[in-house]
Amino acid sequence: MSMDIKQIQDLIKFVSKSGVNEVSIEEKDFKITIKTNQEPTYVTASVPAVAPVAAPVAAAAPAAAPAAAAPVAAAPAADDESKYITVKSPIIGTFYRSPGPDKGSFVNVGDEIAPGKVLCIVEAMKLFNEIESEVSGKIVKILVNDAQPVEYDQPLFLVDPS
């Protein structure tokens, strides 16, 4: 495996936005380590040698499709949404509302949040990234269903700052 400069730049952007402190990729003829100045987050992951990067997202989409039909919360009126703050996904991955299948959700509609409060997890390439709130307020709407793929900058939550 060798990486071109564009892939390396994309990896650097991903690492800086993901909140991890260090990422190392090592193959028999190639090694790269990217470090940031952020506080360390320790994650151990193994990457399959032949699996394409898009395969996990494609496999998750059919399973999430039936759940997408059920809304997570009652929608506020369209003209009211302008007063809310939108919390967006900082990375591409799979959205999870709880730390595990048998655990409770990080937040629910109506919960009060403050900066630093963990709202959800977005899994990207076997790394589980905790998404923390940068605002304080009350969760008005959860815009994504559990285990659904999300894109970079996709809205995840609506927060009433009042």
Side-chain angles (χ1 to χ4, degrees):
M1 170 185 173
S2 72
M3 297 177 79
D4 63 23
I5 191 71
K6 175 73 172 124
Q7 290 172 314
I8 293 171
Q9 289 172 335
D10 289 345
L11 184 60
I12 291 170
K13 287 177 189 173
F14 172 78
V15 170
S16 68
K17 291 179 182 176
S18 70
V20 296
N21 192 39
E22 181 178 337
V23 171
S24 290
I25 298 174
E26 188 171 346
E27 296 292 323
K28 60 184 171 187
D29 60 341
F30 178 80
K31 180 179 179 180
I32 185 171
T33 301
I34 299 171
K35 297 180 182 181
T36 64
N37 293 330
Q38 301 172 8
E39 291 188 27
T41 302
Y42 299 101
V43 179
T44 304
S46 61
V47 179
V50 240
V53 175
V57 174
V72 176
D79 55 15
D80 289 356
E81 289 189 13
S82 62
K83 69 180 182 179
Y84 299 132
I85 297 171
T86 303
V87 177
K88 297 180 179 181
S89 177
I91 57 175
I92 296 171
T94 304
F95 173 88
Y96 294 105
R97 292 190 57 202
S98 62
D102 55 343
K103 309 272 191 218
S105 297
F106 287 110
V107 294
N108 293 303
V109 173
D111 287 357
E112 293 288 332
I113 60 168
K117 166 92 171 134
V118 176
L119 302 175
C120 63
I121 291 176
V122 176
E123 176 194 5
M125 296 172 49
K126 306 282 185 193
L127 296 175
F128 291 86
N129 303 285
E130 291 183 342
I131 308 303
E132 296 180 352
S133 174
E134 295 178 0
V135 298
S136 57
K138 185 163 104 175
I139 299 287
V140 174
K141 186 175 181 184
I142 300 170
L143 303 169
V144 182
N145 290 310
D146 200 34
Q148 179 178 341
V150 294
E151 296 294 324
Y152 170 75
D153 218 27
Q154 178 177 341
L156 303 176
F157 301 93
L158 287 181
V159 177
D160 184 356
S162 54

